Amino acid sequence: MIKVFIGDQADRKFWSQFRREVPILDLVIDDGGHEPEQQIVSLEELLPI
Amino acid sequence: MLNRTRLRLHSIRSGLRAAFLAPPPPLHDSRLQEQSELAGFEHGAGISERETLCAISSTAIGRVAAFGSGIIILTSTHRHFGRFRGREIHVLEIGIYSGGSLECGATILAPKLTFMALTSSQRARATRTA
C-alpha cells in the first residue's frame, strides 16, 4: 500500500496529525527540503520511531 | 551511547554484507541488460529484471528524471534496505517529487510494504495510492 500525504515537514501540527494516522514506522528516508529547520523539526517530531 | 552506536553500525554492516552476498537474479532480456550496462549499472548489484523494468517505466512516464536515476534509486534501495525484502515494514519517505523512487522502492520491498510518502508537491497526487 502506498499512501501520499501532502504537507510541510517543518510544520509540527502536520506531524502530530500524521503520527495520529500513522503510529508505526520502521524506516524514514528524509529527502525533503534539506533546510536545517525542516530536518530538525522532522527528527524531533518523528523520534522515537 | 557508544555501545548503541557500535551495535547500530554493526547491524548496518551486517545488512549491507548480506545484501551484497545475495546471489543476483539473472537478467534474461538482453535489451534490459544492455540498457542497464549503458546506465553504468553493475549487474552484480543483485537487482532483478522486473526491478530494472520498473526503472525504465518510471523514466518513460516521467516520474524519474533519467533512466540512470532510476537505476541509482534501485541500487541504493537494494543495498541499504534489501535485508527487509519480504518483511512487513512501514516506510516513510519525505520528499518524493512525483513518486518515481516510491515505485522503485515498493518494487524491491513489496509485497508486505506500507509506504507513506510526504511531499509538498501537488504532482505527487498522481502517484498510485493502492
mmCIF file of all heavy atoms in Angstrom, chain B residues 5-47:
data_model
loop_
_atom_site.group_PDB
_atom_site.id
_atom_site.type_symbol
_atom_site.label_atom_id
_atom_site.label_comp_id
_atom_site.label_asym_id
_atom_site.label_seq_id
_atom_site.Cartn_x
_atom_site.Cartn_y
_atom_site.Cartn_z
ATOM 1 N N THR B 5 25.708 2.946 19.421
ATOM 2 C CA THR B 5 26.168 3.372 18.090
ATOM 3 C C THR B 5 26.920 2.237 17.421
ATOM 4 O O THR B 5 26.722 1.951 16.248
ATOM 5 C CB THR B 5 27.088 4.610 18.220
ATOM 6 O OG1 THR B 5 26.403 5.578 18.979
ATOM 7 C CG2 THR B 5 27.414 5.184 16.857
ATOM 8 N N ARG B 6 27.806 1.572 18.215
ATOM 9 C CA ARG B 6 28.572 0.447 17.659
ATOM 10 C C ARG B 6 27.643 -0.664 17.193
ATOM 11 O O ARG B 6 27.824 -1.252 16.128
ATOM 12 C CB ARG B 6 29.530 -0.105 18.717
ATOM 13 C CG ARG B 6 30.794 0.705 18.797
ATOM 14 C CD ARG B 6 31.781 0.012 19.709
ATOM 15 N NE ARG B 6 32.938 0.847 19.903
ATOM 16 C CZ ARG B 6 33.602 0.938 21.032
ATOM 17 N NH1 ARG B 6 33.236 0.229 22.067
ATOM 18 N NH2 ARG B 6 34.651 1.713 21.132
ATOM 19 N N LEU B 7 26.622 -0.939 18.030
ATOM 20 C CA LEU B 7 25.666 -2.005 17.705
ATOM 21 C C LEU B 7 24.930 -1.674 16.412
ATOM 22 O O LEU B 7 24.757 -2.527 15.540
ATOM 23 C CB LEU B 7 24.675 -2.152 18.854
ATOM 24 C CG LEU B 7 23.757 -3.373 18.809
ATOM 25 C CD1 LEU B 7 24.596 -4.635 18.946
ATOM 26 C CD2 LEU B 7 22.733 -3.309 19.927
ATOM 27 N N ARG B 8 24.529 -0.392 16.300
ATOM 28 C CA ARG B 8 23.802 0.035 15.090
ATOM 29 C C ARG B 8 24.708 -0.085 13.866
ATOM 30 O O ARG B 8 24.297 -0.564 12.819
ATOM 31 C CB ARG B 8 23.315 1.472 15.276
ATOM 32 C CG ARG B 8 22.502 1.969 14.118
ATOM 33 C CD ARG B 8 21.726 3.185 14.476
ATOM 34 N NE ARG B 8 20.583 2.845 15.299
ATOM 35 C CZ ARG B 8 19.611 3.670 15.594
ATOM 36 N NH1 ARG B 8 19.640 4.883 15.128
ATOM 37 N NH2 ARG B 8 18.601 3.318 16.333
ATOM 38 N N LEU B 9 25.973 0.347 13.996
ATOM 39 C CA LEU B 9 26.909 0.257 12.871
ATOM 40 C C LEU B 9 27.119 -1.197 12.473
ATOM 41 O O LEU B 9 27.148 -1.546 11.296
ATOM 42 C CB LEU B 9 28.261 0.879 13.245
ATOM 43 C CG LEU B 9 28.300 2.406 13.194
ATOM 44 C CD1 LEU B 9 29.626 2.911 13.722
ATOM 45 C CD2 LEU B 9 28.099 2.887 11.755
ATOM 46 N N HIS B 10 27.235 -2.066 13.514
ATOM 47 C CA HIS B 10 27.425 -3.484 13.242
ATOM 48 C C HIS B 10 26.217 -4.033 12.481
ATOM 49 O O HIS B 10 26.360 -4.782 11.521
ATOM 50 C CB HIS B 10 27.613 -4.240 14.551
ATOM 51 C CG HIS B 10 27.705 -5.725 14.364
ATOM 52 N ND1 HIS B 10 28.827 -6.312 13.831
ATOM 53 C CD2 HIS B 10 26.807 -6.708 14.582
ATOM 54 C CE1 HIS B 10 28.605 -7.623 13.751
ATOM 55 N NE2 HIS B 10 27.393 -7.887 14.198
ATOM 56 N N SER B 11 25.016 -3.604 12.922
ATOM 57 C CA SER B 11 23.791 -4.073 12.279
ATOM 58 C C SER B 11 23.722 -3.610 10.830
ATOM 59 O O SER B 11 23.351 -4.373 9.934
ATOM 60 C CB SER B 11 22.613 -3.539 13.084
ATOM 61 O OG SER B 11 21.451 -3.667 12.368
ATOM 62 N N ILE B 12 24.110 -2.354 10.569
ATOM 63 C CA ILE B 12 24.096 -1.823 9.196
ATOM 64 C C ILE B 12 25.095 -2.599 8.347
ATOM 65 O O ILE B 12 24.793 -3.026 7.238
ATOM 66 C CB ILE B 12 24.428 -0.309 9.200
ATOM 67 C CG1 ILE B 12 23.269 0.462 9.835
ATOM 68 C CG2 ILE B 12 24.683 0.212 7.797
ATOM 69 C CD1 ILE B 12 23.556 1.909 10.119
ATOM 70 N N ARG B 13 26.315 -2.811 8.910
ATOM 71 C CA ARG B 13 27.338 -3.548 8.144
ATOM 72 C C ARG B 13 26.857 -4.958 7.807
ATOM 73 O O ARG B 13 27.033 -5.436 6.701
ATOM 74 C CB ARG B 13 28.635 -3.637 8.969
ATOM 75 C CG ARG B 13 29.472 -2.399 8.820
ATOM 76 C CD ARG B 13 30.886 -2.670 9.294
ATOM 77 N NE ARG B 13 31.443 -1.460 9.850
ATOM 78 C CZ ARG B 13 31.674 -1.258 11.145
ATOM 79 N NH1 ARG B 13 31.427 -2.204 12.018
ATOM 80 N NH2 ARG B 13 32.162 -0.131 11.562
ATOM 81 N N SER B 14 26.221 -5.624 8.793
ATOM 82 C CA SER B 14 25.740 -6.992 8.549
ATOM 83 C C SER B 14 24.704 -7.002 7.441
ATOM 84 O O SER B 14 24.726 -7.862 6.563
ATOM 85 C CB SER B 14 25.109 -7.586 9.808
ATOM 86 O OG SER B 14 25.990 -7.479 10.860
ATOM 87 N N GLY B 15 23.793 -6.005 7.492
ATOM 88 C CA GLY B 15 22.746 -5.922 6.473
ATOM 89 C C GLY B 15 23.328 -5.700 5.101
ATOM 90 O O GLY B 15 22.936 -6.331 4.127
ATOM 91 N N LEU B 16 24.304 -4.795 5.019
ATOM 92 C CA LEU B 16 24.923 -4.496 3.727
ATOM 93 C C LEU B 16 25.662 -5.710 3.197
ATOM 94 O O LEU B 16 25.589 -6.044 2.019
ATOM 95 C CB LEU B 16 25.908 -3.325 3.866
ATOM 96 C CG LEU B 16 25.276 -1.957 4.077
ATOM 97 C CD1 LEU B 16 26.343 -0.902 4.289
ATOM 98 C CD2 LEU B 16 24.430 -1.578 2.872
ATOM 99 N N ARG B 17 26.378 -6.405 4.118
ATOM 100 C CA ARG B 17 27.123 -7.596 3.690
ATOM 101 C C ARG B 17 26.159 -8.633 3.121
ATOM 102 O O ARG B 17 26.391 -9.214 2.071
ATOM 103 C CB ARG B 17 27.883 -8.183 4.890
ATOM 104 C CG ARG B 17 29.061 -9.045 4.462
ATOM 105 C CD ARG B 17 29.863 -9.505 5.659
ATOM 106 N NE ARG B 17 30.433 -8.429 6.427
ATOM 107 C CZ ARG B 17 30.246 -8.258 7.726
ATOM 108 N NH1 ARG B 17 29.506 -9.080 8.407
ATOM 109 N NH2 ARG B 17 30.799 -7.246 8.348
ATOM 110 N N ALA B 18 25.019 -8.828 3.835
ATOM 111 C CA ALA B 18 24.035 -9.820 3.376
ATOM 112 C C ALA B 18 23.474 -9.428 2.017
ATOM 113 O O ALA B 18 23.302 -10.266 1.132
ATOM 114 C CB ALA B 18 22.908 -9.944 4.394
ATOM 115 N N ALA B 19 23.219 -8.099 1.830
ATOM 116 C CA ALA B 19 22.661 -7.641 0.555
ATOM 117 C C ALA B 19 23.647 -7.868 -0.579
ATOM 118 O O ALA B 19 23.275 -8.263 -1.682
ATOM 119 C CB ALA B 19 22.297 -6.164 0.655
ATOM 120 N N PHE B 20 24.937 -7.633 -0.306
ATOM 121 C CA PHE B 20 25.939 -7.802 -1.358
ATOM 122 C C PHE B 20 26.181 -9.276 -1.675
ATOM 123 O O PHE B 20 26.469 -9.641 -2.807
ATOM 124 C CB PHE B 20 27.269 -7.166 -0.941
ATOM 125 C CG PHE B 20 27.305 -5.690 -1.211
ATOM 126 C CD1 PHE B 20 27.455 -4.784 -0.192
ATOM 127 C CD2 PHE B 20 27.158 -5.212 -2.508
ATOM 128 C CE1 PHE B 20 27.475 -3.422 -0.439
ATOM 129 C CE2 PHE B 20 27.180 -3.853 -2.769
ATOM 130 C CZ PHE B 20 27.334 -2.961 -1.733
ATOM 131 N N LEU B 21 26.079 -10.131 -0.640
ATOM 132 C CA LEU B 21 26.378 -11.544 -0.855
ATOM 133 C C LEU B 21 25.215 -12.302 -1.470
ATOM 134 O O LEU B 21 25.394 -13.402 -1.987
ATOM 135 C CB LEU B 21 26.772 -12.203 0.482
ATOM 136 C CG LEU B 21 28.120 -11.732 1.043
ATOM 137 C CD1 LEU B 21 28.391 -12.400 2.374
ATOM 138 C CD2 LEU B 21 29.252 -12.031 0.073
ATOM 139 N N ALA B 22 24.008 -11.706 -1.435
ATOM 140 C CA ALA B 22 22.848 -12.401 -2.011
ATOM 141 C C ALA B 22 23.071 -12.615 -3.506
ATOM 142 O O ALA B 22 23.508 -11.711 -4.201
ATOM 143 C CB ALA B 22 21.596 -11.567 -1.797
ATOM 144 N N PRO B 23 22.821 -13.851 -4.006
ATOM 145 C CA PRO B 23 23.051 -14.110 -5.430
ATOM 146 C C PRO B 23 22.109 -13.286 -6.296
ATOM 147 O O PRO B 23 20.907 -13.267 -6.041
ATOM 148 C CB PRO B 23 22.760 -15.607 -5.577
ATOM 149 C CG PRO B 23 21.943 -15.960 -4.397
ATOM 150 C CD PRO B 23 22.299 -14.997 -3.300
ATOM 151 N N PRO B 24 22.630 -12.579 -7.297
ATOM 152 C CA PRO B 24 21.764 -11.739 -8.124
ATOM 153 C C PRO B 24 20.907 -12.557 -9.075
ATOM 154 O O PRO B 24 21.414 -13.481 -9.709
ATOM 155 C CB PRO B 24 22.764 -10.894 -8.927
ATOM 156 C CG PRO B 24 24.014 -11.696 -8.944
ATOM 157 C CD PRO B 24 24.037 -12.502 -7.693
ATOM 158 N N PRO B 25 19.607 -12.250 -9.165
ATOM 159 C CA PRO B 25 18.781 -12.927 -10.145
ATOM 160 C C PRO B 25 19.266 -12.538 -11.543
ATOM 161 O O PRO B 25 19.661 -11.393 -11.755
ATOM 162 C CB PRO B 25 17.375 -12.348 -9.897
ATOM 163 C CG PRO B 25 17.464 -11.589 -8.631
ATOM 164 C CD PRO B 25 18.881 -11.233 -8.424
ATOM 165 N N PRO B 26 19.273 -13.467 -12.494
ATOM 166 C CA PRO B 26 19.823 -13.152 -13.808
ATOM 167 C C PRO B 26 18.927 -12.211 -14.608
ATOM 168 O O PRO B 26 17.714 -12.204 -14.433
ATOM 169 C CB PRO B 26 19.884 -14.523 -14.485
ATOM 170 C CG PRO B 26 18.858 -15.338 -13.793
ATOM 171 C CD PRO B 26 18.772 -14.825 -12.393
ATOM 172 N N LEU B 27 19.545 -11.406 -15.458
ATOM 173 C CA LEU B 27 18.804 -10.580 -16.398
ATOM 174 C C LEU B 27 18.656 -11.385 -17.684
ATOM 175 O O LEU B 27 19.623 -11.690 -18.335
ATOM 176 C CB LEU B 27 19.569 -9.291 -16.705
ATOM 177 C CG LEU B 27 19.457 -8.156 -15.697
ATOM 178 C CD1 LEU B 27 20.426 -7.045 -16.065
ATOM 179 C CD2 LEU B 27 18.050 -7.603 -15.683
ATOM 180 N N HIS B 28 17.416 -11.762 -18.025
ATOM 181 C CA HIS B 28 17.215 -12.620 -19.196
ATOM 182 C C HIS B 28 17.123 -11.815 -20.485
ATOM 183 O O HIS B 28 17.511 -12.268 -21.544
ATOM 184 C CB HIS B 28 15.935 -13.444 -19.028
ATOM 185 C CG HIS B 28 16.021 -14.401 -17.872
ATOM 186 N ND1 HIS B 28 16.945 -15.412 -17.820
ATOM 187 C CD2 HIS B 28 15.319 -14.466 -16.726
ATOM 188 C CE1 HIS B 28 16.804 -16.072 -16.689
ATOM 189 N NE2 HIS B 28 15.826 -15.516 -15.997
ATOM 190 N N ASP B 29 16.547 -10.637 -20.355
ATOM 191 C CA ASP B 29 16.301 -9.847 -21.551
ATOM 192 C C ASP B 29 17.566 -9.064 -21.918
ATOM 193 O O ASP B 29 18.038 -8.232 -21.150
ATOM 194 C CB ASP B 29 15.133 -8.884 -21.262
ATOM 195 C CG ASP B 29 14.694 -8.137 -22.512
ATOM 196 O OD1 ASP B 29 15.571 -7.673 -23.254
ATOM 197 O OD2 ASP B 29 13.472 -8.025 -22.710
ATOM 198 N N SER B 30 18.114 -9.336 -23.112
ATOM 199 C CA SER B 30 19.381 -8.714 -23.485
ATOM 200 C C SER B 30 19.230 -7.196 -23.634
ATOM 201 O O SER B 30 20.153 -6.442 -23.361
ATOM 202 C CB SER B 30 19.905 -9.326 -24.788
ATOM 203 O OG SER B 30 18.953 -9.115 -25.806
ATOM 204 N N ARG B 31 18.014 -6.750 -24.047
ATOM 205 C CA ARG B 31 17.795 -5.311 -24.211
ATOM 206 C C ARG B 31 17.868 -4.597 -22.847
ATOM 207 O O ARG B 31 18.476 -3.556 -22.698
ATOM 208 C CB ARG B 31 16.432 -5.055 -24.856
ATOM 209 C CG ARG B 31 16.224 -3.612 -25.294
ATOM 210 C CD ARG B 31 14.848 -3.441 -25.920
ATOM 211 N NE ARG B 31 13.778 -3.788 -24.982
ATOM 212 C CZ ARG B 31 13.254 -2.940 -24.099
ATOM 213 N NH1 ARG B 31 13.692 -1.713 -24.051
ATOM 214 N NH2 ARG B 31 12.299 -3.314 -23.288
ATOM 215 N N LEU B 32 17.247 -5.233 -21.848
ATOM 216 C CA LEU B 32 17.268 -4.652 -20.498
ATOM 217 C C LEU B 32 18.694 -4.631 -19.956
ATOM 218 O O LEU B 32 19.128 -3.652 -19.359
ATOM 219 C CB LEU B 32 16.383 -5.468 -19.551
ATOM 220 C CG LEU B 32 14.878 -5.366 -19.744
ATOM 221 C CD1 LEU B 32 14.158 -6.148 -18.661
ATOM 222 C CD2 LEU B 32 14.441 -3.925 -19.690
ATOM 223 N N GLN B 33 19.396 -5.738 -20.205
ATOM 224 C CA GLN B 33 20.767 -5.825 -19.690
ATOM 225 C C GLN B 33 21.642 -4.748 -20.346
ATOM 226 O O GLN B 33 22.428 -4.073 -19.675
ATOM 227 C CB GLN B 33 21.346 -7.207 -19.977
ATOM 228 C CG GLN B 33 22.718 -7.382 -19.330
ATOM 229 C CD GLN B 33 23.049 -8.834 -19.089
ATOM 230 O OE1 GLN B 33 22.244 -9.718 -19.370
ATOM 231 N NE2 GLN B 33 24.218 -9.096 -18.569
ATOM 232 N N GLU B 34 21.436 -4.591 -21.669
ATOM 233 C CA GLU B 34 22.216 -3.582 -22.399
ATOM 234 C C GLU B 34 21.933 -2.187 -21.837
ATOM 235 O O GLU B 34 22.842 -1.411 -21.575
ATOM 236 C CB GLU B 34 21.837 -3.650 -23.875
ATOM 237 C CG GLU B 34 22.722 -2.807 -24.776
ATOM 238 C CD GLU B 34 22.215 -2.823 -26.210
ATOM 239 O OE1 GLU B 34 21.588 -3.828 -26.608
ATOM 240 O OE2 GLU B 34 22.410 -1.836 -26.897
ATOM 241 N N GLN B 35 20.636 -1.900 -21.604
ATOM 242 C CA GLN B 35 20.258 -0.578 -21.073
ATOM 243 C C GLN B 35 20.841 -0.372 -19.683
ATOM 244 O O GLN B 35 21.293 0.714 -19.346
ATOM 245 C CB GLN B 35 18.736 -0.452 -21.007
ATOM 246 C CG GLN B 35 18.119 -0.358 -22.374
ATOM 247 C CD GLN B 35 16.855 0.483 -22.333
ATOM 248 O OE1 GLN B 35 16.785 1.465 -21.637
ATOM 249 N NE2 GLN B 35 15.867 0.083 -23.101
ATOM 250 N N SER B 36 20.822 -1.444 -18.896
ATOM 251 C CA SER B 36 21.361 -1.347 -17.540
ATOM 252 C C SER B 36 22.846 -1.043 -17.577
ATOM 253 O O SER B 36 23.342 -0.209 -16.827
ATOM 254 C CB SER B 36 21.155 -2.671 -16.798
ATOM 255 O OG SER B 36 19.806 -2.977 -16.760
ATOM 256 N N GLU B 37 23.557 -1.740 -18.484
ATOM 257 C CA GLU B 37 25.005 -1.539 -18.566
ATOM 258 C C GLU B 37 25.331 -0.141 -19.082
ATOM 259 O O GLU B 37 26.266 0.497 -18.627
ATOM 260 C CB GLU B 37 25.631 -2.608 -19.472
ATOM 261 C CG GLU B 37 25.695 -3.946 -18.755
ATOM 262 C CD GLU B 37 25.979 -5.100 -19.691
ATOM 263 O OE1 GLU B 37 26.155 -4.868 -20.905
ATOM 264 O OE2 GLU B 37 26.012 -6.228 -19.197
ATOM 265 N N LEU B 38 24.490 0.328 -20.016
ATOM 266 C CA LEU B 38 24.690 1.678 -20.548
ATOM 267 C C LEU B 38 24.560 2.710 -19.435
ATOM 268 O O LEU B 38 25.224 3.732 -19.430
ATOM 269 C CB LEU B 38 23.666 1.974 -21.647
ATOM 270 C CG LEU B 38 23.979 1.423 -23.025
ATOM 271 C CD1 LEU B 38 22.819 1.692 -23.976
ATOM 272 C CD2 LEU B 38 25.258 2.031 -23.574
ATOM 273 N N ALA B 39 23.677 2.440 -18.496
ATOM 274 C CA ALA B 39 23.441 3.387 -17.395
ATOM 275 C C ALA B 39 24.494 3.246 -16.301
ATOM 276 O O ALA B 39 24.412 3.878 -15.266
ATOM 277 C CB ALA B 39 22.060 3.161 -16.810
ATOM 278 N N GLY B 40 25.499 2.404 -16.534
ATOM 279 C CA GLY B 40 26.559 2.243 -15.548
ATOM 280 C C GLY B 40 26.155 1.314 -14.420
ATOM 281 O O GLY B 40 26.748 1.293 -13.357
ATOM 282 N N PHE B 41 25.108 0.538 -14.657
ATOM 283 C CA PHE B 41 24.602 -0.377 -13.625
ATOM 284 C C PHE B 41 25.485 -1.620 -13.546
ATOM 285 O O PHE B 41 25.809 -2.233 -14.554
ATOM 286 C CB PHE B 41 23.175 -0.768 -13.993
ATOM 287 C CG PHE B 41 22.619 -1.932 -13.218
ATOM 288 C CD1 PHE B 41 22.609 -1.917 -11.849
ATOM 289 C CD2 PHE B 41 22.097 -3.012 -13.885
ATOM 290 C CE1 PHE B 41 22.085 -2.978 -11.146
ATOM 291 C CE2 PHE B 41 21.568 -4.083 -13.196
ATOM 292 C CZ PHE B 41 21.561 -4.057 -11.819
ATOM 293 N N GLU B 42 25.872 -1.942 -12.349
ATOM 294 C CA GLU B 42 26.704 -3.118 -12.172
ATOM 295 C C GLU B 42 25.771 -4.322 -11.951
ATOM 296 O O GLU B 42 25.022 -4.372 -10.990
ATOM 297 C CB GLU B 42 27.597 -2.900 -10.952
ATOM 298 C CG GLU B 42 28.577 -4.007 -10.726
ATOM 299 C CD GLU B 42 29.301 -3.810 -9.410
ATOM 300 O OE1 GLU B 42 29.133 -2.748 -8.793
ATOM 301 O OE2 GLU B 42 30.000 -4.737 -9.002
ATOM 302 N N HIS B 43 25.835 -5.281 -12.847
ATOM 303 C CA HIS B 43 24.908 -6.400 -12.805
ATOM 304 C C HIS B 43 24.981 -7.152 -11.474
ATOM 305 O O HIS B 43 23.986 -7.624 -10.954
ATOM 306 C CB HIS B 43 25.205 -7.344 -13.980
ATOM 307 C CG HIS B 43 24.248 -8.489 -14.064
ATOM 308 N ND1 HIS B 43 24.565 -9.653 -14.689
ATOM 309 C CD2 HIS B 43 22.997 -8.646 -13.592
ATOM 310 C CE1 HIS B 43 23.533 -10.475 -14.599
ATOM 311 N NE2 HIS B 43 22.573 -9.880 -13.942
ATOM 312 N N GLY B 44 26.178 -7.203 -10.887
ATOM 313 C CA GLY B 44 26.362 -7.936 -9.631
ATOM 314 C C GLY B 44 25.652 -7.310 -8.449
ATOM 315 O O GLY B 44 25.667 -7.857 -7.357
ATOM 316 N N ALA B 45 25.017 -6.157 -8.643
ATOM 317 C CA ALA B 45 24.351 -5.497 -7.518
ATOM 318 C C ALA B 45 23.132 -6.279 -7.036
ATOM 319 O O ALA B 45 22.637 -6.032 -5.947
ATOM 320 C CB ALA B 45 23.938 -4.086 -7.906
ATOM 321 N N GLY B 46 22.621 -7.204 -7.835
ATOM 322 C CA GLY B 46 21.544 -8.077 -7.376
ATOM 323 C C GLY B 46 20.155 -7.571 -7.650
ATOM 324 O O GLY B 46 19.213 -7.905 -6.945
ATOM 325 N N ILE B 47 20.006 -6.750 -8.648
ATOM 326 C CA ILE B 47 18.681 -6.220 -8.973
ATOM 327 C C ILE B 47 18.073 -7.046 -10.102
ATOM 328 O O ILE B 47 18.740 -7.368 -11.079
ATOM 329 C CB ILE B 47 18.788 -4.734 -9.362
ATOM 330 C CG1 ILE B 47 19.232 -3.948 -8.126
ATOM 331 C CG2 ILE B 47 17.482 -4.194 -9.879
ATOM 332 C CD1 ILE B 47 19.598 -2.549 -8.417
#
